[in-house]
PDB file of all heavy atoms in Angstrom:
ATOM      1  N   LEU A  64    -117.563 230.434  30.719  1.00  0.00           N
ATOM      2  CA  LEU A  64    -118.025 229.941  29.413  1.00  0.00           C
ATOM      3  C   LEU A  64    -119.165 228.946  29.551  1.00  0.00           C
ATOM      4  O   LEU A  64    -120.056 228.895  28.718  1.00  0.00           O
ATOM      5  CB  LEU A  64    -116.873 229.308  28.640  1.00  0.00           C
ATOM      6  CG  LEU A  64    -115.827 230.265  28.088  1.00  0.00           C
ATOM      7  CD1 LEU A  64    -114.730 229.478  27.369  1.00  0.00           C
ATOM      8  CD2 LEU A  64    -116.451 231.266  27.153  1.00  0.00           C
ATOM      9  N   THR A  65    -119.153 228.144  30.607  1.00  0.00           N
ATOM     10  CA  THR A  65    -120.203 227.142  30.770  1.00  0.00           C
ATOM     11  C   THR A  65    -121.579 227.787  30.935  1.00  0.00           C
ATOM     12  O   THR A  65    -122.583 227.190  30.570  1.00  0.00           O
ATOM     13  CB  THR A  65    -119.911 226.246  31.992  1.00  0.00           C
ATOM     14  OG1 THR A  65    -119.677 227.074  33.129  1.00  0.00           O
ATOM     15  CG2 THR A  65    -118.712 225.364  31.747  1.00  0.00           C
ATOM     16  N   LYS A  66    -121.629 229.002  31.450  1.00  0.00           N
ATOM     17  CA  LYS A  66    -122.915 229.704  31.598  1.00  0.00           C
ATOM     18  C   LYS A  66    -123.448 230.172  30.247  1.00  0.00           C
ATOM     19  O   LYS A  66    -124.634 230.429  30.103  1.00  0.00           O
ATOM     20  CB  LYS A  66    -122.762 230.916  32.524  1.00  0.00           C
ATOM     21  CG  LYS A  66    -122.438 230.555  33.933  1.00  0.00           C
ATOM     22  CD  LYS A  66    -123.593 230.840  34.803  1.00  0.00           C
ATOM     23  CE  LYS A  66    -123.176 230.534  36.235  1.00  0.00           C
ATOM     24  NZ  LYS A  66    -124.253 230.409  37.104  1.00  0.00           N
ATOM     25  N   SER A  67    -122.580 230.295  29.244  1.00  0.00           N
ATOM     26  CA  SER A  67    -122.995 230.747  27.916  1.00  0.00           C
ATOM     27  C   SER A  67    -123.566 229.622  27.063  1.00  0.00           C
ATOM     28  O   SER A  67    -124.192 229.883  26.037  1.00  0.00           O
ATOM     29  CB  SER A  67    -121.810 231.371  27.171  1.00  0.00           C
ATOM     30  OG  SER A  67    -121.333 232.496  27.851  1.00  0.00           O
ATOM     31  N   VAL A  68    -123.345 228.386  27.452  1.00  0.00           N
ATOM     32  CA  VAL A  68    -123.734 227.238  26.617  1.00  0.00           C
ATOM     33  C   VAL A  68    -125.226 227.213  26.290  1.00  0.00           C
ATOM     34  O   VAL A  68    -125.593 227.057  25.120  1.00  0.00           O
ATOM     35  CB  VAL A  68    -123.246 225.914  27.247  1.00  0.00           C
ATOM     36  CG1 VAL A  68    -123.842 224.714  26.540  1.00  0.00           C
ATOM     37  CG2 VAL A  68    -121.723 225.864  27.202  1.00  0.00           C
ATOM     38  N   PRO A  69    -126.149 227.382  27.251  1.00  0.00           N
ATOM     39  CA  PRO A  69    -127.570 227.360  26.888  1.00  0.00           C
ATOM     40  C   PRO A  69    -127.942 228.465  25.885  1.00  0.00           C
ATOM     41  O   PRO A  69    -128.700 228.225  24.944  1.00  0.00           O
ATOM     42  CB  PRO A  69    -128.302 227.565  28.224  1.00  0.00           C
ATOM     43  CG  PRO A  69    -127.330 227.144  29.260  1.00  0.00           C
ATOM     44  CD  PRO A  69    -125.978 227.475  28.714  1.00  0.00           C
ATOM     45  N   GLY A  70    -127.392 229.659  26.081  1.00  0.00           N
ATOM     46  CA  GLY A  70    -127.665 230.753  25.145  1.00  0.00           C
ATOM     47  C   GLY A  70    -127.105 230.472  23.761  1.00  0.00           C
ATOM     48  O   GLY A  70    -127.716 230.806  22.749  1.00  0.00           O
ATOM     49  N   LEU A  71    -125.936 229.853  23.708  1.00  0.00           N
ATOM     50  CA  LEU A  71    -125.334 229.516  22.411  1.00  0.00           C
ATOM     51  C   LEU A  71    -126.116 228.419  21.706  1.00  0.00           C
ATOM     52  O   LEU A  71    -126.263 228.452  20.483  1.00  0.00           O
ATOM     53  CB  LEU A  71    -123.871 229.106  22.596  1.00  0.00           C
ATOM     54  CG  LEU A  71    -122.931 230.243  22.999  1.00  0.00           C
ATOM     55  CD1 LEU A  71    -121.569 229.706  23.399  1.00  0.00           C
ATOM     56  CD2 LEU A  71    -122.803 231.251  21.865  1.00  0.00           C
ATOM     57  N   ARG A  72    -126.644 227.466  22.459  1.00  0.00           N
ATOM     58  CA  ARG A  72    -127.491 226.433  21.837  1.00  0.00           C
ATOM     59  C   ARG A  72    -128.745 227.072  21.241  1.00  0.00           C
ATOM     60  O   ARG A  72    -129.165 226.727  20.136  1.00  0.00           O
ATOM     61  CB  ARG A  72    -127.867 225.372  22.870  1.00  0.00           C
ATOM     62  CG  ARG A  72    -126.738 224.421  23.148  1.00  0.00           C
ATOM     63  CD  ARG A  72    -127.206 223.177  23.890  1.00  0.00           C
ATOM     64  NE  ARG A  72    -126.074 222.304  24.077  1.00  0.00           N
ATOM     65  CZ  ARG A  72    -125.515 222.056  25.251  1.00  0.00           C
ATOM     66  NH1 ARG A  72    -126.013 222.580  26.344  1.00  0.00           N
ATOM     67  NH2 ARG A  72    -124.471 221.268  25.330  1.00  0.00           N
ATOM     68  N   ALA A  73    -129.329 228.003  21.984  1.00  0.00           N
ATOM     69  CA  ALA A  73    -130.509 228.717  21.472  1.00  0.00           C
ATOM     70  C   ALA A  73    -130.141 229.549  20.247  1.00  0.00           C
ATOM     71  O   ALA A  73    -130.923 229.649  19.297  1.00  0.00           O
ATOM     72  CB  ALA A  73    -131.105 229.601  22.564  1.00  0.00           C
ATOM     73  N   ALA A  74    -128.945 230.144  20.248  1.00  0.00           N
ATOM     74  CA  ALA A  74    -128.497 230.946  19.103  1.00  0.00           C
ATOM     75  C   ALA A  74    -128.375 230.075  17.857  1.00  0.00           C
ATOM     76  O   ALA A  74    -128.788 230.481  16.762  1.00  0.00           O
ATOM     77  CB  ALA A  74    -127.162 231.624  19.414  1.00  0.00           C
ATOM     78  N   VAL A  75    -127.825 228.884  18.007  1.00  0.00           N
ATOM     79  CA  VAL A  75    -127.697 227.959  16.866  1.00  0.00           C
ATOM     80  C   VAL A  75    -129.081 227.620  16.319  1.00  0.00           C
ATOM     81  O   VAL A  75    -129.304 227.658  15.101  1.00  0.00           O
ATOM     82  CB  VAL A  75    -126.924 226.680  17.270  1.00  0.00           C
ATOM     83  CG1 VAL A  75    -127.031 225.613  16.202  1.00  0.00           C
ATOM     84  CG2 VAL A  75    -125.474 227.006  17.561  1.00  0.00           C
ATOM     85  N   ARG A  76    -130.027 227.319  17.212  1.00  0.00           N
ATOM     86  CA  ARG A  76    -131.390 226.988  16.764  1.00  0.00           C
ATOM     87  C   ARG A  76    -132.042 228.179  16.066  1.00  0.00           C
ATOM     88  O   ARG A  76    -132.672 228.028  15.006  1.00  0.00           O
ATOM     89  CB  ARG A  76    -132.245 226.551  17.954  1.00  0.00           C
ATOM     90  CG  ARG A  76    -131.937 225.175  18.474  1.00  0.00           C
ATOM     91  CD  ARG A  76    -132.985 224.695  19.473  1.00  0.00           C
ATOM     92  NE  ARG A  76    -133.143 225.605  20.599  1.00  0.00           N
ATOM     93  CZ  ARG A  76    -132.444 225.541  21.732  1.00  0.00           C
ATOM     94  NH1 ARG A  76    -131.532 224.604  21.883  1.00  0.00           N
ATOM     95  NH2 ARG A  76    -132.664 226.401  22.707  1.00  0.00           N
ATOM     96  N   THR A  77    -131.884 229.367  16.629  1.00  0.00           N
ATOM     97  CA  THR A  77    -132.488 230.577  16.049  1.00  0.00           C
ATOM     98  C   THR A  77    -131.925 230.859  14.666  1.00  0.00           C
ATOM     99  O   THR A  77    -132.673 231.136  13.722  1.00  0.00           O
ATOM    100  CB  THR A  77    -132.245 231.782  16.976  1.00  0.00           C
ATOM    101  OG1 THR A  77    -132.890 231.543  18.229  1.00  0.00           O
ATOM    102  CG2 THR A  77    -132.771 233.063  16.368  1.00  0.00           C
TER     103      THR A  77
END
Side-chain angles (χ1 to χ4, degrees):
L64 288 179
T65 52
K66 294 250 183 196
S67 298
V68 170
L71 290 170
R72 283 194 178 111
V75 168
R76 286 191 303 271
T77 297

